[in-house]
């Protein structure tokens, strides 16, 4: 009876080893972003996160079909164990004077070797 009352022992944590990686994003364009409700226009900017790295694009002016043609990169320290890696999170924001309004968001899993190709061979799937 007493064994049932004892809390179960947590499994040991996996050792966390990290390495430095280069996080590089090739940002081309967005299509058919939602228009801002108040004035009808948007000034979109992309913000990407990968673990502790945060990348910002330039801001496009007054369009819902922006083109950036920009390469952004940063060094990021990530777990060497692929299963422990964070997702890539991408936000498209409407840049405004007083605040930023989210227009779109997507998330890419990176916790498996099969999820992100070494080289993109076709158009992105949204």
């Amino acid at each position: 009876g007493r064994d049932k009352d004892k809390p179960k022992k947590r499994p040991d944590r996996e050792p966390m080893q990290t390495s430095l990686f280069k996080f590089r994003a090739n940002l081309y364009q967005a299509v058919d972003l939602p228009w801002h409700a108040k004035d009808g226009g948007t000034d979109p900017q992309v913000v990407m996160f990968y673990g502790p790295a945060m990348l910002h694009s330039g801001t496009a002016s007054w369009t819902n079909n922006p083109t950036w043609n920009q390469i952004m990169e940063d060094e990021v320290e990530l777990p060497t164990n692929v299963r422990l890696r964070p997702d890539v999170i991408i936000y498209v924001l409407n840049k405004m004077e007083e605040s930023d309004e989210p227009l779109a968001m997507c998330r890419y899993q990176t916790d498996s070797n099969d999820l992100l190709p070494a080289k993109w061979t076709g158009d992105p799937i949204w």
Side-chain angles (χ1 to χ4, degrees):
R2 288 190 167 231
D3 288 339
K4 292 180 183 176
D5 296 335
K6 288 184 180 179
K8 292 183 179 181
K9 185 181 179 210
R10 294 174 97 177
D12 291 336
R13 291 183 182 206
E14 291 187 38
M16 174 73 83
Q17 295 178 342
T18 61
S19 292
L20 278 177
F21 294 89
K22 185 72 74 171
F23 174 43
R24 181 176 297 128
N26 298 306
L27 179 62
Y28 299 106
Q29 69 183 50
V31 178
D32 295 331
L33 292 174
W35 287 102
H36 185 263
K38 292 180 184 174
D39 57 12
T42 58
D43 295 324
Q45 179 189 53
V46 173
V47 180
M48 294 185 200
F49 295 92
Y50 189 36
M54 181 170 68
L55 305 176
H56 291 266
S57 73
T59 302
S61 294
W62 201 255
T63 181
N64 72 330
N65 295 299
T67 302
W68 289 279
N69 293 322
Q70 188 175 350
I71 298 171
M72 304 176 291
E73 66 180 29
D74 196 3
E75 280 193 350
V76 60
E77 188 173 6
L78 297 172
T80 53
N81 183 341
V82 174
R83 293 183 306 118
L84 300 175
R85 291 193 185 154
D87 294 344
V88 174
I89 301 171
I90 304 170
Y91 293 99
V92 181
L93 305 173
N94 181 30
K95 295 295 289 178
M96 301 186 306
E97 289 180 23
E98 59 278 355
S99 65
D100 297 337
E101 176 185 63
L103 297 173
M105 181 263 195
C106 66
R107 176 185 301 256
Y108 288 100
Q109 287 183 289
T110 65
D111 59 357
S112 171
N113 284 329
D114 301 334
L115 293 173
L116 290 176
K119 182 178 180 181
W120 296 97
T121 58
D123 294 335
I125 300 171
W126 299 97

